[in-house]
Coordinates of all heavy atoms in Angstrom, one line a residue:
R1 N 0.8 -1.2 0.0 CA 0.0 0.0 0.0 C 0.9 1.3 0.0 O 0.6 2.2 -0.7 CB -0.9 0.0 1.2 CG -2.1 -1.0 1.1 CD -3.2 -0.7 2.1 NE -2.7 -1.0 3.4 CZ -2.9 -2.2 4.0 NH1 -3.5 -3.2 3.3 NH2 -2.5 -2.4 5.2
D2 N 1.9 1.2 0.8 CA 2.8 2.4 0.8 C 3.5 2.5 -0.5 O 3.7 3.7 -1.0 CB 3.9 2.2 1.9 CG 3.3 2.3 3.3 OD1 2.2 2.8 3.5 OD2 4.0 1.8 4.3
L3 N 3.9 1.4 -1.1 CA 4.5 1.5 -2.5 C 3.6 2.1 -3.5 O 4.0 2.9 -4.3 CB 4.9 0.1 -2.9 CG 5.6 0.0 -4.3 CD1 6.9 0.8 -4.3 CD2 5.8 -1.4 -4.7
T4 N 2.3 1.8 -3.4 CA 1.3 2.4 -4.3 C 1.3 3.9 -4.2 O 1.2 4.6 -5.2 CB -0.1 1.8 -4.0 OG1 0.0 0.4 -4.3 CG2 -1.1 2.4 -5.0
V5 N 1.3 4.4 -2.9 CA 1.3 5.8 -2.7 C 2.6 6.5 -3.2 O 2.5 7.5 -3.9 CB 1.2 6.1 -1.2 CG1 1.3 7.6 -0.9 CG2 -0.2 5.6 -0.6
L6 N 3.7 5.8 -2.9 CA 5.0 6.4 -3.4 C 5.1 6.4 -4.9 O 5.6 7.3 -5.5 CB 6.1 5.6 -2.8 CG 6.3 5.7 -1.3 CD1 7.4 4.7 -0.8 CD2 6.8 7.2 -0.9
T7 N 4.6 5.3 -5.5 CA 4.6 5.2 -7.0 C 3.7 6.3 -7.6 O 4.1 6.9 -8.6 CB 4.2 3.8 -7.4 OG1 5.0 2.8 -6.9 CG2 4.2 3.7 -8.9
G8 N 2.6 6.5 -6.9 CA 1.7 7.5 -7.4 C 2.3 8.9 -7.4 O 2.2 9.7 -8.3
T9 N 3.0 9.2 -6.3 CA 3.7 10.5 -6.1 C 4.8 10.6 -7.2 O 4.9 11.7 -7.8 CB 4.3 10.6 -4.7 OG1 3.3 10.5 -3.7 CG2 5.1 11.9 -4.6
R10 N 5.5 9.5 -7.4 CA 6.6 9.6 -8.4 C 6.0 9.8 -9.8 O 6.5 10.7 -10.6 CB 7.4 8.3 -8.4 CG 8.5 8.2 -9.4 CD 8.8 6.8 -9.8 NE 7.7 6.1 -10.4 CZ 7.7 4.8 -10.6 NH1 8.7 4.0 -10.3 NH2 6.6 4.2 -11.2
D11 N 4.9 9.1 -10.1 CA 4.3 9.3 -11.4 C 3.7 10.7 -11.6 O 3.8 11.2 -12.8 CB 3.2 8.2 -11.6 CG 3.8 6.8 -11.7 OD1 5.0 6.7 -11.9 OD2 3.0 5.9 -11.6
D12 N 3.2 11.3 -10.6 CA 2.7 12.6 -10.7 C 3.8 13.6 -11.0 O 3.7 14.6 -11.8 CB 2.0 13.0 -9.4 CG 0.6 12.3 -9.2 OD1 0.1 11.8 -10.2 OD2 0.1 12.3 -8.0
I13 N 5.0 13.4 -10.3 CA 6.1 14.3 -10.6 C 6.6 14.1 -12.0 O 7.0 15.0 -12.7 CB 7.2 14.0 -9.5 CG1 6.7 14.3 -8.1 CG2 8.5 14.8 -9.8 CD1 7.7 13.9 -7.0
R14 N 6.6 12.8 -12.5 CA 7.0 12.6 -13.8 C 6.1 13.3 -14.8 O 6.6 13.9 -15.8 CB 7.0 11.1 -14.1 CG 8.2 10.3 -13.6 CD 8.0 8.8 -13.9 NE 9.2 8.1 -13.5 CZ 9.3 6.7 -13.6 NH1 8.3 6.0 -14.1 NH2 10.4 6.1 -13.2
T15 N 4.8 13.3 -14.5 CA 3.9 14.0 -15.4 C 4.1 15.5 -15.4 O 4.1 16.2 -16.4 CB 2.4 13.7 -14.9 OG1 2.2 12.3 -15.0 CG2 1.4 14.5 -15.8
E16 N 4.4 16.0 -14.2 CA 4.7 17.4 -14.0 C 6.0 17.8 -14.8 O 6.0 18.8 -15.5 CB 4.9 17.8 -12.6 CG 5.2 19.3 -12.3 CD 5.3 19.6 -10.8 OE1 5.2 18.7 -10.0 OE2 5.6 20.8 -10.5
L17 N 7.0 16.9 -14.7 CA 8.2 17.2 -15.4 C 8.0 17.1 -16.9 O 8.6 18.0 -17.7 CB 9.3 16.2 -15.0 CG 10.7 16.3 -15.6 CD1 11.3 17.7 -15.3 CD2 11.6 15.2 -15.2
T18 N 7.2 16.2 -17.4 CA 6.9 16.1 -18.8 C 6.3 17.4 -19.3 O 6.6 17.9 -20.4 CB 6.0 14.9 -19.1 OG1 6.7 13.7 -18.7 CG2 5.7 14.8 -20.6
R19 N 5.3 17.9 -18.5 CA 4.6 19.1 -18.9 C 5.6 20.3 -19.0 O 5.5 21.1 -19.9 CB 3.5 19.4 -17.9 CG 2.7 20.7 -18.2 CD 1.7 20.9 -17.1 NE 2.3 21.0 -15.8 CZ 2.9 22.1 -15.3 NH1 3.1 23.2 -16.1 NH2 3.4 22.1 -14.1
L20 N 6.5 20.4 -18.0 CA 7.5 21.4 -18.0 C 8.4 21.3 -19.2 O 8.8 22.3 -19.8 CB 8.3 21.4 -16.7 CG 7.6 21.9 -15.4 CD1 8.4 21.6 -14.2 CD2 7.4 23.4 -15.6
E21 N 8.8 20.1 -19.5 CA 9.7 19.9 -20.7 C 9.0 20.3 -22.0 O 9.6 20.9 -22.9 CB 10.1 18.5 -20.8 CG 11.1 18.0 -19.7 CD 11.3 16.5 -19.6 OE1 10.5 15.8 -20.3 OE2 12.3 16.1 -19.0
S22 N 7.7 20.0 -22.0 CA 6.9 20.5 -23.2 C 6.8 22.0 -23.3 O 7.0 22.6 -24.3 CB 5.5 19.9 -23.1 OG 4.7 20.3 -24.2
D23 N 6.6 22.6 -22.1 CA 6.5 24.1 -22.0 C 7.8 24.7 -22.5 O 7.9 25.7 -23.2 CB 6.1 24.6 -20.6 CG 4.7 24.3 -20.3 OD1 3.9 23.9 -21.2 OD2 4.4 24.4 -19.1
V24 N 8.9 24.1 -22.0 CA 10.3 24.6 -22.4 C 10.4 24.5 -23.9 O 10.9 25.5 -24.6 CB 11.4 23.9 -21.7 CG1 12.8 24.3 -22.3 CG2 11.4 24.2 -20.2
R25 N 10.1 23.4 -24.5 CA 10.2 23.2 -26.0 C 9.4 24.2 -26.7 O 9.9 24.8 -27.7 CB 9.8 21.8 -26.4 CG 10.9 20.7 -26.0 CD 10.6 19.4 -26.7 NE 9.2 18.9 -26.4 CZ 9.0 18.1 -25.4 NH1 9.9 17.7 -24.6 NH2 7.7 17.7 -25.2

């Protein structure tokens, strides 16, 4: 259960980073 929460947090950050990379491009 803790891993699910941590994975969700990591994936949200990855999504945020992808959006920022797109904005930079």
Side-chain angles (χ1 to χ4, degrees):
R1 284 194 291 268
D2 291 342
L3 179 63
T4 299
V5 173
L6 292 171
T7 301
T9 300
R10 181 203 61 189
D11 291 346
D12 288 344
I13 296 173
R14 282 180 175 176
T15 300
E16 183 180 357
L17 182 60
T18 299
R19 179 182 57 78
L20 284 169
E21 291 172 343
S22 176
D23 289 347
V24 170
R25 284 195 302 272

